[in-house]
Amino acid sequence: MADNPYTQTFEMQRAMIESGRTAVEASTSMTRSATSAFVGSTSTTKSAQKSGVEFSRRAAHAMLDAFEQAGAGQGVDDARAALDEQYDALDELHDDAWTAVEDALGEYEESMAEFTDTQRETFLDGLDAAVSASDDAEEAVEEAFEQIEIEEDA
C-alpha cells in the first residue's frame, strides 16, 4: 500500500485493535483461572470442615471415657452409641451437602466457561469487523489519493 498522510494513522489504529484483542484474551483467561481457583478451593474447606467434625467426635468420646473412668459407667455405652449415631448422621448430611455444593459449583464453572467463550467470540468478532472496516477505509483513502495524483499529472 502506498504511503499517504493517513497511512500511519491506519497502522496505529490496527495496533490499537490488536491491543484490544490481547486484552480480551487476557481477560478471558483470567476469568477462567479465577473461576477454576474458586471452585478448586472448596476441597480445602470441605476437608477442614470434616476434620473439625471428627475432632469434635473424638472430644465427645474423650469426655465419655472420662465419665466412664470416674465411675459413671452406667449409661455411658448408651450415650456413646447415641453419640456415634448422631455423628454418623452428621457425616452423611455433610457428604450430601458437599456433593450438592460441588455439583452446583461444577455447573457454575461450566456456565462461566460458556459465558466467557461467548463473550470472547463476540469481542473478537467485533475486533475483526473493526480491522476490516479500517482496511476498507485505508483502501478508500489510498484510491482517493491515487485519483488526486492522476488528476494532478493530467
Side-chain angles (χ1 to χ4, degrees):
M1 296 192 170
D3 274 349
N4 64 60
Y6 298 101
T7 300
Q8 192 172 14
T9 302
F10 287 111
E11 288 172 2
M12 199 168 40
Q13 185 178 39
R14 275 191 293 280
M16 289 176 67
I17 291 169
E18 287 307 313
S19 292
R21 183 180 313 277
T22 302
V24 167
E25 294 289 356
S27 174
T28 301
S29 178
M30 183 191 72
T31 301
R32 282 181 173 267
S33 295
T35 301
S36 231
F38 170 69
V39 170
S41 72
T42 59
S43 63
T44 303
T45 304
K46 176 183 176 182
S47 177
Q49 189 178 40
K50 197 142 180 98
S51 293
V53 170
E54 188 55 38
F55 176 77
S56 174
R57 181 193 293 239
R58 286 193 310 266
H61 274 280
M63 184 179 69
L64 290 174
D65 290 344
F67 285 150
E68 194 171 41
Q69 289 175 358
Q74 202 170 3
V76 171
D77 288 338
D78 291 339
R80 189 180 309 274
L83 180 74
D84 284 338
E85 186 177 307
Q86 292 300 310
Y87 272 102
D88 289 345
L90 179 61
D91 275 343
E92 189 174 319
L93 288 172
H94 181 266
D95 290 341
D96 290 347
W98 275 104
T99 297
V101 167
E102 289 166 343
D103 289 348
L105 287 173
E107 290 175 18
Y108 167 75
E109 189 172 21
E110 287 175 23
S111 294
M112 282 303 295
E114 289 175 20
F115 172 74
T116 55
D117 285 348
T118 300
Q119 186 180 39
R120 177 184 169 275
E121 289 304 315
T122 300
F123 278 124
L124 293 179
D125 288 348
L127 292 174
D128 288 343
V131 167
S132 179
S134 177
D135 289 346
D136 291 348
E138 184 175 16
E139 239 178 79
V141 167
E142 281 185 19
E143 287 174 9
F145 271 95
E146 286 173 9
Q147 188 63 34
I148 290 170
E149 288 175 4
I150 291 171
E151 290 175 6
E152 286 178 354
D153 290 341

